Amino acid sequence: MDLSTLSQPVHSTQQRRAQQRRIPQRRIPQRCTRQRTRQSSRRGPLAPNRWAGRAGTLLACLTIVWATVTVMAPTRAEAHPLSTTAILLDVAPDRVTGTVELPVDRLAIALDQPLTPASVVKPAKLAELRRYVLRHTSAADKNGTPWATSISGGRVETIDGVPHLVLDLTLRPPDDGTVHDFRLTYDAIVHHLLSHQVFVSIRPDGSDDYTAVGMLDWQSHTVLVPAAGATKEQGFAAAVRLGIRHIAGGADHLLFLVMLLLPAPLVARRGQWVRADDLGRNCRRVVHVVSAFAVGHSITLALGALGYVSVPTRVVESLIALSILVSGVHAIRPLVPRGEVWIAAGFGLMHGLAFAALLGDLDLGRGSLVVELLGFNLGIELTQLMVVALLMPSLLLLSRTRTYPAARLTVAATGVVLAAAWLAERTTLLTDNPLNHVTDALIAHPYAVAATFAAVAAVSWAVPGLRASRPEELPSGVPS
């Protein structure tokens, strides 16, 4: 028997015991053990927070999709038309004459006909278009007594780079034949294109300048026209209403503002959006973004309206669509950390040029232009503040839940798709925007959209499992 073989295991055992005495065992800290246990419990089947996040994602997507489908209408419209209708009235003692400038492309969509600048002046088609405009134009005094209305002429003029059919309008008062204050009713094109706008201006007898009277749209077809012309106070008030209704009816301007507000309750970290707990910081950020947009569009609105800057309308409208596209992508993932203010100010310059083009359609004189420029800008700011007041409380509350990443991505992605369609249409890549009915619905149901945000925020906050306890739990992308 080999004694060395029998002693080997004993020798090995002694070596192991000696080694254990020399090298103490490594103890795992209790804190790390708790952390590993917590991580494994998150991965396990019993993870209520994980399922709550998924439920919040599904809730946000279904609610927003439901709201979009519910408010969608079959009518056709544009977000912010490349051109508008202008009615310029000249008052004489016994009659009111003027012109009606109808954009040919909008007229073609409203009538669902392939109209071109060449076809609208053909005798048969021109006579048909005169009868169409006459059916949608009327005037009456304050007592409701109708005036005689006639439409004549017909020529094509290029206004802001867009062909317009220009018709001559004549209004004659009844009885003594003396022109007094009257009500003008007009809804050509507007009755089919929900976001089309009609601007009415008047030039009293003996005056060289036009004064804005009001704006007609799908909600309002009648405007009171003062025969003596509007005073500066009346012109200022009319311009304020004009600014309010223009923004309220412009889906692209509103959508751009919403895209800027989406990341307001968040902060960029390592190329992602995470929630910021500082309410004061969030409010200051909203003020900075809205103020930057206001400063940007006010500068170019003044320069463009006064004639110092002129950019083709189609270029301006294309840049506005691009601004929504960029801000939507930025709301999904930060392109420029802490750069929302610069994005709002830079693209606000483009939006101001569009506002200036609309004032140019009124053909105002320099004397009334300054007053009405201030009123128009004030109306724009009031509407923006109203939008912020309607949406921001819901966004702040929603940002404190696990639902917000899904809601933010859904809204931002919708904005990107709509902006891409507008950009393709305004750069003539598309002849007809297939998403017109969506923007039409947004314009027709603004309070339903705000109520949807509020409902999603309230439901998400009411469910304890959907509340986010820490900012780190809200990364950009699909929620954890």
Side-chain angles (χ1 to χ4, degrees):
M1 178 181 296
D2 188 359
L3 295 178
S4 62
T5 306
L6 294 175
S7 62
Q8 186 175 1
V10 177
H11 180 70
S12 300
T13 302
Q14 293 175 351
Q15 287 181 343
R16 284 198 301 269
R17 288 177 179 177
Q19 185 177 10
Q20 290 176 358
R21 286 194 299 268
R22 289 194 301 269
I23 304 176
Q25 294 183 353
R26 181 175 178 267
R27 301 187 59 182
I28 301 176
Q30 187 177 4
R31 176 168 51 88
C32 298
T33 305
R34 288 198 302 266
Q35 183 176 2
R36 292 180 181 178
T37 304
R38 189 187 303 118
Q39 291 176 352
S40 61
S41 64
R42 287 181 181 176
R43 300 190 191 100
L46 299 177
N49 290 339
R50 184 177 180 86
W51 286 109
R54 292 178 177 178
T57 300
L58 181 62
L59 172 66
C61 294
L62 291 179
T63 304
I64 294 174
V65 170
W66 169 84
T68 303
V69 173
T70 301
V71 302
M72 278 179 12
T75 53
R76 304 175 68 184
E78 293 296 327
H80 181 329
L82 289 173
S83 53
T84 57
T85 295
I87 300 178
L88 305 178
L89 301 175
D90 290 284
V91 177
D94 60 340
R95 73 185 69 183
V96 176
T97 60
T99 58
V100 182
E101 302 171 350
L102 304 100
V104 176
D105 55 350
R106 307 302 104 179
L107 190 60
I109 295 176
L111 298 179
D112 197 16
Q113 298 180 12
L115 300 179
T116 63
S119 65
V120 295
V121 293
K122 292 183 178 179
K125 181 58 67 176
L126 183 57
E128 177 187 342
L129 295 177
R130 288 174 186 161
R131 291 192 297 269
Y132 164 74
V133 174
L134 184 60
R135 288 195 304 270
H136 293 273
T137 306
S138 63
D141 59 20
K142 292 183 177 181
N143 298 323
T145 305
W147 288 26
T149 306
S150 63
I151 297 291
S152 60
R155 58 195 179 276
V156 173
E157 295 182 3
T158 301
I159 302 173
D160 289 333
V162 178
H164 284 64
L165 175 63
V166 180
L167 301 175
D168 297 321
L169 171 66
T170 303
L171 305 173
R172 295 180 181 273
D175 301 333
D176 59 354
T178 303
V179 173
H180 300 287
D181 296 352
F182 65 95
R183 298 184 183 277
L184 176 68
T185 301
Y186 180 92
D187 65 345
I189 299 182
V190 176
H191 67 104
H192 277 302
L193 286 177
L194 196 62
S195 61
H196 190 72
Q197 298 168 340
V198 181
F199 296 93
V200 182
S201 299
I202 185 175
R203 182 166 58 185
D205 189 23
S207 176
D208 296 329
D209 297 333
Y210 283 97
T211 303
V213 173
M215 183 187 73
L216 305 177
D217 55 18
W218 67 281
Q219 291 179 312
S220 177
H221 301 159
T222 302
V223 62
L224 178 63
V225 180
T231 63
K232 289 186 177 181
E233 291 77 11
Q234 293 173 332
F236 179 81
V240 172
R241 293 192 297 269
L242 189 65
I244 292 175
R245 292 171 60 183
H246 172 64
I247 291 296
D252 52 359
H253 295 302
L254 292 177
L255 189 57
F256 177 69
L257 185 59
V258 172
M259 294 297 104
L260 292 177
L261 295 178
L262 280 178
L266 310 175
V267 62
R269 290 181 183 172
R270 303 186 188 96
Q272 295 182 339
W273 290 117
V274 296
R275 179 167 60 87
D277 278 333
D278 190 349
L279 180 60
R281 174 253 174 212
N282 293 340
C283 294
R284 289 192 301 271
R285 188 176 184 184
V286 172
V287 172
H288 293 163
V289 169
V290 175
S291 299
F293 181 60
V295 170
H297 74 68
S298 297
I299 292 174
T300 48
L301 170 59
L303 295 177
L306 295 175
Y308 295 111
V309 177
S310 178
V311 180
T313 304
R314 188 171 296 277
V315 174
V316 172
E317 298 294 343
S318 299
L319 289 174
I320 288 177
L322 179 63
S323 71
I324 303 170
L325 183 62
V326 173
S327 59
V329 174
H330 181 72
I332 296 174
R333 185 172 295 274
L335 299 177
V336 184
R338 306 176 189 176
E340 296 79 17
V341 172
W342 295 107
I343 292 176
F347 285 118
L349 298 173
M350 298 297 100
H351 289 252
L353 292 175
F355 300 150
L358 291 175
L359 284 183
D361 290 339
L362 298 177
D363 201 14
L364 304 175
R366 182 61 64 95
S368 59
L369 178 59
V370 175
V371 174
E372 297 184 11
L373 174 62
L374 295 175
F376 185 72
N377 202 31
L378 177 61
I380 292 174
E381 305 308 331
L382 291 176
T383 309
Q384 291 180 169
L385 292 177
M386 183 175 65
V387 172
V388 173
L390 285 174
L391 292 182
M392 209 57 219
S394 300
L395 294 181
L396 289 174
L397 181 62
L398 197 58
S399 68
R400 295 176 175 269
T401 69
R402 299 175 181 273
T403 310
Y404 192 59
R408 173 173 55 84
L409 292 178
T410 302
V411 175
T414 302
V416 169
V417 172
L418 292 177
W422 288 333
L423 184 60
E425 181 189 23
R426 296 172 184 184
T427 54
T428 67
L429 295 178
L430 287 178
T431 56
D432 188 15
N433 189 346
L435 300 179
N436 279 335
H437 60 288
V438 178
T439 59
D440 188 6
L442 293 175
I443 296 172
H445 304 86
Y447 295 108
V449 175
T452 300
F453 276 100
V456 173
V459 172
S460 300
W461 184 255
V463 179
L466 295 181
R467 298 181 185 179
S469 58
R470 291 188 301 273
E472 291 76 11
E473 294 180 1
L474 284 176
S476 177
V478 179
S480 59

